[in-house]
Amino acid sequence: MLWGCIELGKVLVTAAWPYINHIPHLGNLLPILSADVIARYYRLKGEETLFVSGSDEHGTPIEVEAIRQNISPKELTDRNHEIVSLLFKKWAISFDNYTRTESEVHKEFVRNVMLSLEKNGYIFVKEDELPYCERCQRFLPDRFIEGKCPYCGYERARGDQCEQCGRLLEPIKLIEPKCTVCGEKPTVKIAKHWYFDMPKFADKLLAYIEGNKRLPENARNFSLNLLKEGLRPRPITRDNKWGIPAPFAGAENKTIYVWFDAVLGYVSATIEYFKKHGDGDRWREYWFDKNARILYFIGKDNIPFHTLILPALLMATHEDYNLPWNVCTNEWLIFAGQKSSKSRRVGIWIDEALEMFPVDYWRYTLIAIRPETKDSDFTWKVFIEKVNADLNDTLGNFIHRTLKFINTYFDSAIPDPMDLDSLDKNMLSTIIEKVKAVDELLENCQLQAALREAIELSRIGNKYLNERKPWETIKLNPQVAANTLYVSAQIVKALSVILEPFIPITIRKLREILSLSEKFSWDDAYKPLPPGHKIKKAEPLFTKVRFSEEDLQSMLEKIRERTEKISYEDFSKVDIRVGRIVEAEAVPGAQNLLKLLIDVGDSLKTAVAGIAKHYRPEDLKGRYVAVVVNLRPRQVFGIESEVMILAAEDEGKIVLLEPSEPVRPGSRVR
RNA sequence: AGCGGGGUAGGGCAGCCAGGUUAGCCCGCCGGGCUCAUAACCCGGAGGUCGGAGGUUCAAAUCCUCCCCCCGCUACCA
């Protein structure tokens, strides 16, 4: 194969940038964990490897979450970035640079790329008449419009398609169109946006996709299909406030669409890494040197952004950037048959997981059930099975019985082999075969199979020990026992190399017991432990999970409760009063904000509340509500918000909390 | 609706692209063995009309056609 000719090139490993409106769950972690396995693998292989990613922190969902928490988007992402960075360290993710889209290097790089796209003639401005909701003060994507289908009369046809008859629609053709958020009839307004002229790259992209034989089938077919359907110019600006300001003349109030922003982070994170290490130009070795390989690990929803949009952006700079060498995608991890959902409490989050079990138990299980060809289902049953049967019984026990035997019968020294018979010799060559097999599988990003193959080696080891019965031969013919344990020790040695990418923390322990250096390479798997080499006292590497599935689920729920519980002192700091809404008006330029003037007894206070999609200003006047009055004031959309009103949230529905009968404004709530 | 991916023993998967011995592997289950080892390990067994229906072929899980089910995408909800 062509790729086989490439020796010792540079490898850039990247993982999809987690969107940090929340802490990631186990499914979000998959691409990052997979990338970590591969990064560790390439480092062991002696390739010059760089592993980068970062927090994706711009865009609407961040703004929405910030409003919900009554803080600024920057405060939200500052906090979450810090939390998430620490969590990735705990997960032993070996990033060389984990950065963020708010980094100055990134913002400057994105601006420069945008300007270069404009200079090269790939940006054009277009004005469109788009459906607009006056009440929500926003342009409505097709799916935010509902109405009667002109073909079949279905009442709730969406702007893009009727779910009843399946026909594709255009929003303006709907009878009695409505904004799905507030129910208002949309008007048509002119939207001006800057577009990236994707179609100009159709031929080059086709050549790239067809020429990259390495792309996994799903990514490749999907991309080819999109190309066949025809590319469309893509608007690259948004009317959001939170994001990287669009550098185009006349686009002063617009920001760059987060996807175009985030996807360029792969480059800027590399630049930033070398800047930090005082080697300013070396990033170019990864992005322009044709021997360098760049691997992307992503979820299946991300394919077009990595196979088409990113390559097109890079081409559009006219700078001959390296295009993706491989794009490894995973399908979804679901939880007991359901999709992860923060609000419905389905799934496991990466902070909770580590409170329950050591990181390698999770790393092992996640790679073992990594959804590669289809979605896979995480259940506690599967977790228990993988940890107990594979990690503990098969792998852990094989290592332990081998090392303990050497402790006990050979004074902790690797025995001296003599006159190995054919079974022993076969075993030694099996080790080499297995190491090679794991190597090839990892090279092809077949992580699950590689891990299976590695565990298989310990299974073979167990079988070998049972056949050789050293506990008998040690009495009858000690040299035979010595030979057996010499061979078994070599299996352990090989395992201490090839499993490092998967379970690095455990491997550090194992190599400590084996008195082996923390620094080692893949080829060390082929080098035998020399006779006489002293090892330390064997310690079990794993313990079994002795809990039922139900126990584990309730442990998880307890952890959730604990992290959510606050002390009485904390609670008593919150000063909640009954307030009466005196005035209410929409905040200009904001989609979901109302400015409220509230009588809290001793004074009138201003609140900016994210409830415009649920309440009309005129319906609020005179209402009594619960108000937190001692929050630090905050600027929201340029208005100082002094207090916060309380509301219940149910799957996106917002309902204000009112006293069941009127009480004097200012009454304390406790 | 279109497109992509998937539907193989109770559960999880490989095999399919280059059709061909009794359809493999892991877990679980049943029976046996062993005792170095964390009630660990090893051997044997039961269990599948390979989503359904047609077709091509001497021969199909594997190729073709149609249908059913699950997941994802379809681009201004990252």
Side-chain angles (χ1 to χ4, degrees), chain A residues 146 165 180 210 235 237 294 339 359 388 431 447 455 518 619:
Chain A
E146 252 179 29
C165 67
T180 55
E210 283 182 337
T237 53
I294 307 181
K339 272 212 273 190
V359 62
N388 288 2
I431 298 174
L447 306 192
I455 297 297
E518 272 186 45
D619 295 340

Side-chain angles (χ1 to χ4, degrees), chain A residues 483-497:
Chain A
N483 291 353
T484 302
L485 268 298
Y486 171 81
V487 171
S488 298
Q490 304 318 330
I491 299 176
V492 176
K493 164 80 190 292
L495 288 170
S496 85
V497 175

Side-chain angles (χ1 to χ4, degrees), chain A residues 546-562:
Chain A
R546 305 270 183 207
F547 298 100
S548 69
E549 298 166 44
E550 295 73 32
D551 289 345
L552 292 175
Q553 187 57 35
S554 63
M555 269 167 73
L556 177 66
E557 273 151 26
K558 280 208 185 85
I559 286 167
R560 273 182 197 161
E561 272 174 36
R562 201 187 61 225

Side-chain angles (χ1 to χ4, degrees), chain A residues 2-23:
Chain A
L2 178 68
W3 308 103
C5 310
I6 298 170
E7 300 266 331
L8 283 189
K10 293 182 166 52
V11 182
L12 181 62
V13 180
T14 72
W17 290 38
Y19 197 69
I20 56 163
N21 54 347
H22 293 124
I23 289 171

Side-chain angles (χ1 to χ4, degrees), chain A residues 8-130:
Chain A
L8 283 189
K10 293 182 166 52
V11 182
L12 181 62
V13 180
T14 72
W17 290 38
Y19 197 69
I20 56 163
N21 54 347
H22 293 124
I23 289 171
H25 55 64
L26 294 182
N28 299 140
L29 185 72
L30 275 172
I32 293 166
L33 179 58
S34 307
D36 183 59
V37 171
I38 292 296
R40 287 173 179 275
Y41 161 71
Y42 277 122
R43 288 194 196 103
L44 284 176
K45 292 282 285 182
E47 311 277 4
E48 255 188 84
T49 305
L50 197 66
F51 178 22
V52 299
S53 185
S55 297
D56 182 1
E57 51 185 321
H58 296 139
T60 316
I62 296 277
E63 284 183 276
V64 169
E65 180 64 18
I67 289 170
R68 202 181 70 75
Q69 297 191 20
N70 196 25
I71 56 178
S72 72
K74 183 72 161 68
E75 280 174 298
L76 176 75
T77 59
D78 278 353
R79 194 184 67 205
N80 284 359
H81 177 70
E82 200 168 315
I83 294 171
V84 166
S85 302
L86 183 64
L87 281 168
F88 287 152
K89 285 203 179 90
K90 289 186 179 167
W91 275 86
I93 306 297
S94 60
F95 288 125
D96 294 297
N97 188 22
Y98 183 77
T99 181
R100 55 191 292 185
T101 54
E102 270 291 289
S103 115
E104 286 308 320
V105 174
H106 176 70
K107 291 196 273 190
E108 190 195 334
F109 180 73
V110 171
R111 275 193 292 269
N112 288 340
V113 169
M114 291 303 142
L115 290 173
S116 140
L117 261 52
E118 189 181 39
K119 191 187 82 200
N120 294 338
Y122 299 116
I123 300 286
F124 63 89
V125 185
K126 202 168 87 160
E127 292 189 342
D128 280 312
E129 289 198 330
L130 290 179

Side-chain angles (χ1 to χ4, degrees), chain A residues 300-495:
Chain A
K300 66 173 161 181
D301 53 335
N302 275 209
I303 291 170
F305 294 99
H306 291 80
T307 57
L308 299 176
I309 291 181
L310 175 63
L313 285 174
L314 296 175
M315 288 169 181
T317 62
H318 291 182
E319 287 187 59
D320 201 23
Y321 274 94
N322 285 334
L323 302 180
W325 184 70
N326 200 354
V327 179
C328 303
T329 63
N330 60 262
E331 307 272 311
W332 300 139
L333 185 65
I334 57 175
F335 292 83
Q338 293 186 286
K339 272 212 273 190
S340 270
S341 157
K342 188 90 189 169
S343 59
R344 285 171 35 237
R345 293 292 158 84
V346 177
I348 299 174
W349 274 258
I350 67 171
D351 50 344
E352 302 166 340
L354 294 187
E355 291 198 42
M356 295 180 72
F357 292 103
V359 62
D360 281 347
Y361 291 23
W362 290 106
R363 289 179 60 114
Y364 179 82
T365 304
L366 288 173
I367 298 297
I369 65 169
R370 180 169 183 263
E372 294 183 347
T373 56
K374 58 185 164 190
D375 295 352
S376 65
D377 197 8
F378 179 97
T379 58
W380 287 116
K381 184 169 180 249
V382 168
F383 180 81
I384 294 167
E385 179 188 308
K386 292 294 168 192
V387 171
N388 288 2
D390 289 0
L391 269 188
N392 188 74
D393 297 349
T394 304
L395 174 68
N397 188 239
F398 167 69
I399 292 172
H400 195 247
R401 66 199 289 215
T402 298
L403 300 186
K404 200 146 184 200
F405 204 100
I406 293 173
N407 286 151
T408 310
Y409 296 96
F410 296 97
D411 193 25
S412 297
I414 302 301
D416 210 346
M418 270 175 68
D419 302 320
L420 293 180
D421 68 14
S422 62
L423 188 62
D424 300 328
K425 286 179 187 160
N426 281 343
M427 198 59 234
L428 290 175
S429 51
T430 299
I431 298 174
I432 291 172
E433 278 167 29
K434 285 290 169 190
V435 172
K436 279 193 179 140
V438 174
D439 193 348
E440 270 170 35
L441 289 165
L442 285 175
E443 186 72 44
N444 290 316
C445 287
Q446 291 176 267
L447 306 192
Q448 199 190 103
L451 183 55
R452 231 192 337 255
E453 207 55 26
I455 297 297
E456 175 66 17
L457 181 54
S458 57
R459 201 164 270 128
I460 292 169
N462 276 322
K463 187 172 177 172
Y464 170 78
L465 280 180
N466 276 44
E467 280 169 15
R468 302 260 85 170
K469 299 183 176 28
W471 51 92
E472 276 176 16
T473 56
I474 191 74
K475 294 168 199 150
L476 308 171
N477 186 347
Q479 185 56 52
V480 171
N483 291 353
T484 302
L485 268 298
Y486 171 81
V487 171
S488 298
Q490 304 318 330
I491 299 176
V492 176
K493 164 80 190 292
L495 288 170

Side-chain angles (χ1 to χ4, degrees), chain A residues 498-555:
Chain A
I498 62 178
L499 283 171
E500 194 274 344
F502 303 98
I503 48 172
I505 307 297
T506 305
I507 289 302
R508 200 184 300 154
K509 258 189 263 171
L510 173 59
R511 294 187 64 93
E512 168 68 25
I513 294 170
L514 291 172
S515 307
L516 287 172
S517 149
E518 272 186 45
K519 284 203 185 292
F520 56 99
S521 72
W522 188 267
D523 287 344
D524 285 341
Y526 299 112
K527 293 177 195 152
L529 280 170
H533 177 90
K534 281 278 198 175
I535 63 166
K536 302 200 172 78
K537 187 166 172 290
E539 297 287 345
L541 296 172
F542 310 99
T543 53
K544 275 198 164 186
V545 178
R546 305 270 183 207
F547 298 100
S548 69
E549 298 166 44
E550 295 73 32
D551 289 345
L552 292 175
Q553 187 57 35
S554 63
M555 269 167 73

